[in-house]
Amino acid sequence: MNIRKMNIIETQDYLQFADLFKRSGLELNLDDSGKGPEGFITAWKAVDEAGALVGGCAITRKKGYYVLNDIAVEEELRSTGIGRLLFQTAMTRMLDMGARQVHITAKAPKFFEKYGFRYLEPEDTPDIFGCKNCDQYGKTCKPEFMVFEYSGERLLFIDSCVTTHISRTMRLADHYLEQFIKAHPGVNVETVIVEKGCAEPLDRDDINRRNDLATAGAYDDPMFDYAHQFKRADYVLVGAPYWDCAFPAILKVYIENIVVTGLTFEESETGYSGLCKCKELTYITTAGGPIGDKNLGFDYICGIGEMLGVRSFKEYRAECLDIVGLDHEAIMEQALAVIDAGEQ
Ligand SMILES: Cc1cc2nc3c(=O)[nH]c(=O)nc-3n(C[C@H](O)[C@H](O)[C@H](O)COP(=O)(O)O)c2cc1C
């Protein structure tokens, strides 16, 4: 299954997760209504192309504390990125709601540690989890109490790693993110998957509609969702393979959708003035042959980024990965080391 065709959909129907959560070893603690956990805010489901439920997570607020209540993915689809997308969706929503911290009881703490959660002693954990009163606590069930403290900064990962195999570009991007999170504790990471279907090229009707909405100041239209998401990012990571001396065409389509007059940039007498807050945009690519000085994808991204107000740009690459006879793993290792050196 191609996990990138997965949809994440918000839902208030918590009970649909009952079987999935039980199979994943999560307890279903419902409040008096019997419809959801205490302090239930909302939930998201991951569904595959056929509409089947393959993952879910919920967020709650108890005694003023935000909690990532449950997160589960069907066993055969774990480590495919679904849990990460659900997690990021939930974390971004809580940040948008004004959360400063998020608590969890984790059965797979390594996953959360990677994203910047730290361990709490049970006595330092607010009294919001039923766990400690459960007779299985410390016996068959040994959860870790963890907390995440938002710094308020946001990184947007524009993931255009369109591929038929395990993407080498994605491997570099994942590594970059791990280093970045370590160097920027509390950063919120959000991913937009930029593949066919994520956005449409603008035609005459779209441009007319966009102009009408802009004239009316109706920037809350869903047409501008990607532009808002880009505009509020403090950091941007673009991951895109080197295709035809640049990047996959869908990334250009996505860019058409974020470059919006009056929202992400404005026209001035001297040219353009960017309205986005991004301090640094990092571009990661891998190529089958040599790139040399023909990284037209990166050059283009820099041009657009400058127009939108991005302050600085950085690039990491691994090239010649399809040339027979070369040690491709050694090339990748070298690129990973360059990222390590650049992100310390
Ligand atoms: C549609 C397409 C176009 C490509 N164009 C180029 C190219 O212009 N120059 C090049 O060196 N490699 C090109 N490649 C090879 C990819 O850049 C290379 O395999 C890259 O590592 C793929 O990244 P991934 O493993 O993240 O998918 C192309 C590959 C595809 C599928």
Side-chain angles (χ1 to χ4, degrees):
M1 179 189 299
N2 181 356
I3 72 112
R4 299 173 69 86
K5 299 287 178 202
M6 197 68 50
N7 272 321
I8 305 288
I9 300 167
E10 188 165 359
T11 174
Q12 290 294 303
D13 176 10
Y14 180 81
L15 292 181
Q16 69 186 301
F17 301 123
D19 288 343
L20 170 68
F21 285 172
K22 278 185 196 152
R23 277 200 302 281
S24 307
L26 302 174
E27 291 83 26
L28 214 66
N29 292 316
L30 302 177
D31 67 6
D32 293 343
S33 75
K35 290 184 177 165
E38 185 196 331
F40 178 67
I41 300 173
T42 193
W44 291 268
K45 60 180 176 179
V47 294
D48 66 15
E49 283 171 277
L53 179 77
V54 294
C57 77
I59 57 173
T60 58
R61 197 168 184 198
K62 297 174 191 163
K63 300 181 181 169
Y65 294 97
Y66 284 90
V67 178
L68 180 56
N69 211 70
D70 314 276
I71 181 159
V73 173
E74 288 294 1
E75 196 168 356
E76 67 273 17
L77 289 171
R78 293 194 190 141
S79 304
T80 58
I82 300 170
R84 176 164 81 170
L85 276 184
L86 285 166
F87 167 79
Q88 290 182 357
T89 304
M91 293 298 286
T92 302
R93 175 63 60 82
M94 288 186 277
L95 176 60
D96 290 344
M97 290 177 73
R100 309 293 299 271
Q101 290 186 327
V102 173
H103 286 82
I104 47 163
T105 49
K107 292 193 172 168
K110 291 281 169 221
F111 174 89
F112 298 100
E113 204 183 337
K114 202 169 124 186
Y115 288 102
F117 276 77
R118 67 179 170 82
Y119 295 91
L120 279 181
E121 293 300 332
E123 57 272 24
D124 297 331
T125 306
D127 186 22
I128 48 174
F129 298 111
C131 284
K132 288 192 245 174
N133 307 322
C134 172
D135 58 1
Q136 291 309 309
Y137 176 63
K139 296 176 191 155
T140 57
C141 184
K142 295 179 181 165
E144 293 285 354
F145 297 101
M146 302 181 90
V147 67
F148 180 88
E149 281 161 79
Y150 292 103
S151 65
E153 288 197 313
R154 297 168 187 260
L155 179 142
L156 175 63
F157 173 27
I158 300 171
D159 170 4
S160 195
C161 299
V162 181
T163 190
T164 51
H165 50 272
I166 294 176
S167 164
R168 296 172 287 202
T169 314
M170 183 59 124
R171 183 174 163 199
L172 296 187
D174 267 345
H175 189 74
Y176 170 88
L177 282 173
E178 241 177 82
Q179 302 306 321
F180 187 90
I181 290 167
K182 277 187 207 147
H184 298 80
V187 67
N188 184 71
V189 177
E190 206 177 343
T191 300
V192 53
I193 294 188
V194 174
E195 282 205 2
K196 196 169 174 180
C198 84
E200 295 298 324
L202 299 179
D203 67 7
R204 189 178 297 117
D205 292 341
D206 298 323
I207 295 166
N208 283 333
R209 195 169 99 77
R210 185 159 92 166
N211 289 343
D212 289 346
L213 289 167
T215 305
Y219 289 115
D220 54 351
D221 189 274
M223 180 181 217
F224 301 120
D225 284 354
Y226 284 140
H228 283 292
Q229 188 186 42
F230 186 92
K231 181 183 170 111
R232 68 183 182 210
D234 299 283
Y235 299 92
V236 171
L237 168 66
V238 180
Y242 189 68
W243 277 17
D244 308 322
C245 295
F247 47 60
I250 188 66
L251 182 54
K252 173 68 176 71
V253 172
Y254 165 82
I255 289 166
E256 267 177 24
N257 282 267
I258 62 165
V259 179
V260 181
T261 327
L263 182 57
T264 49
F265 79 102
E266 58 192 359
E267 283 151 8
S268 66
E269 281 170 11
T270 50
Y272 299 121
S273 174
L275 298 174
C276 299
K277 64 191 289 210
C278 179
K279 294 180 222 184
E280 183 178 78
L281 183 151
T282 302
Y283 187 84
I284 292 185
T285 194
T286 66
I291 297 176
D293 58 2
K294 280 204 183 54
N295 198 349
L296 305 180
F298 179 54
D299 293 347
Y300 171 75
I301 291 286
C302 291
I304 283 292
E306 274 167 23
M307 182 175 159
L308 301 184
V310 177
R311 321 279 188 278
S312 66
F313 301 88
K314 223 166 29 177
E315 186 228 356
Y316 294 111
R317 62 166 78 169
E319 45 195 323
C320 301
L321 291 173
D322 294 337
I323 296 182
V324 178
L326 295 183
D327 185 344
H328 303 145
E329 184 52 26
I331 297 171
M332 287 295 288
E333 290 290 340
Q334 198 186 349
L336 293 168
V338 172
I339 292 175
D340 284 343
E343 298 308 318
Q344 272 166 7

